[in-house]
Amino acid sequence: MRPGLCSVTFRQLTPEQIVPLAADAGLEVIEWGGDVHVPPGDVARAAQVARVTTDAGLAVCSYGSYFRVGADEVLTPILDSAEALGADRVRIWAGRVDSADAMPEEYARIVGRLREAAAEASDRGITLALEYHRGTVADDPDAVLRLLADVGSAALSTYWQPSVGAADADALAEFDALAAHTSAVHVFSWWPDAERLRLHEREELWRGLCTAASALPAPPRDALLEFVPDDDPALLASEAATLRRWLAA
């Protein structure tokens, strides 16, 4: 897996400030967020951010969009920005309700829209990846596997991150269930709820994840640091060093 950074980790900084931080930290890739750093449809800004990224020896691994399937949003401007970034993957969100609360009609609409979105993205050489998150119908392994099967598109994968409040063993079991469909991992240490810890404070979880991923025929492509304590840029170098050490081991 390539070590990288989600730009939303530092929403308070510009891309021109984030890129040298990531490069100096020994990271390889960046997922650029669509809420602040690369607005959907602003292809000039996306191309500019792409140049800044590649000029520093980094790659753009993905576009972190906030496109929510089922919310009548238009995907095309998002794909335009992803294309201008040189990103071949776009992160998306599957609705606005937990899988257990989705009525059959709502779930069917989400599946249908995902099929359309995956087809539109695929036509442009771009894949889509589900945000694995509560408040969506991609909130646990069974729900994600069902959704992927119902959509039935090779252009759709999922991200993975530890569920809030999940013990290490439970989180790793969730990854094992989704590993074959996971294209990227969001890496952060929160415990016991949304309290942000340093990465090494959940070492058992992340060492276990790296070990499990390394044993796969096709591991997730990217391990992306996200949400350091206090959004502090000064922590990036040491957090990246921890991640790189685990990936190398």
Side-chain angles (χ1 to χ4, degrees), residues 179-211:
H181 305 280
T182 300
S183 56
V185 172
H186 281 164
V187 180
F188 55 84
S189 289
W190 290 8
W191 192 258
D193 189 38
E195 294 80 7
R196 298 183 185 183
L197 307 178
R198 298 293 298 275
L199 203 56
H200 71 268
E201 293 181 82
R202 295 197 72 183
E203 182 168 357
E204 184 175 346
L205 167 65
W206 291 112
R207 276 192 178 274
L209 182 285
C210 292
T211 298

Side-chain angles (χ1 to χ4, degrees), residues 36-77:
V36 174
H37 296 126
V38 183
D42 189 345
V43 295
R45 181 54 171 157
Q48 184 180 37
V49 171
R51 286 193 298 271
V52 171
T53 305
T54 56
D55 285 350
L58 303 172
V60 177
C61 64
S62 45
Y63 183 45
S65 85
Y66 290 87
F67 175 82
R68 283 196 181 260
V69 178
D72 297 325
E73 295 182 41
V74 179
L75 184 63
T76 303

Side-chain angles (χ1 to χ4, degrees), residues 37-199:
H37 296 126
V38 183
D42 189 345
V43 295
R45 181 54 171 157
Q48 184 180 37
V49 171
R51 286 193 298 271
V52 171
T53 305
T54 56
D55 285 350
L58 303 172
V60 177
C61 64
S62 45
Y63 183 45
S65 85
Y66 290 87
F67 175 82
R68 283 196 181 260
V69 178
D72 297 325
E73 295 182 41
V74 179
L75 184 63
T76 303
I78 292 168
L79 296 177
D80 291 342
S81 288
E83 195 169 64
L85 274 171
D88 64 358
R89 183 181 63 218
V90 174
R91 183 201 63 186
I92 61 173
W93 298 66
R96 295 184 179 275
V97 297
D98 293 340
S99 58
D101 297 329
M103 300 300 292
E105 297 83 0
E106 182 174 13
Y107 179 78
R109 284 196 300 271
I110 290 171
V111 169
R113 184 67 182 99
L114 270 175
R115 285 181 185 146
E116 295 171 352
E120 182 182 356
S122 182
D123 285 345
R124 299 177 66 166
I126 297 172
T127 63
L128 304 179
L130 301 167
E131 174 80 2
Y132 181 63
H133 206 283
R134 60 189 178 184
T136 75
V137 297
D139 57 355
D140 66 49
D142 288 343
V144 172
L145 293 173
R146 177 192 175 196
L147 188 58
L148 292 173
D150 288 343
V151 174
S153 172
L156 182 65
S157 65
T158 187
Y159 278 26
W160 179 85
Q161 62 190 34
S163 296
V164 173
D168 294 351
D170 294 334
L172 290 171
E174 292 185 359
F175 173 73
D176 287 343
L178 295 174
H181 305 280
T182 300
S183 56
V185 172
H186 281 164
V187 180
F188 55 84
S189 289
W190 290 8
W191 192 258
D193 189 38
E195 294 80 7
R196 298 183 185 183
L197 307 178
R198 298 293 298 275
L199 203 56

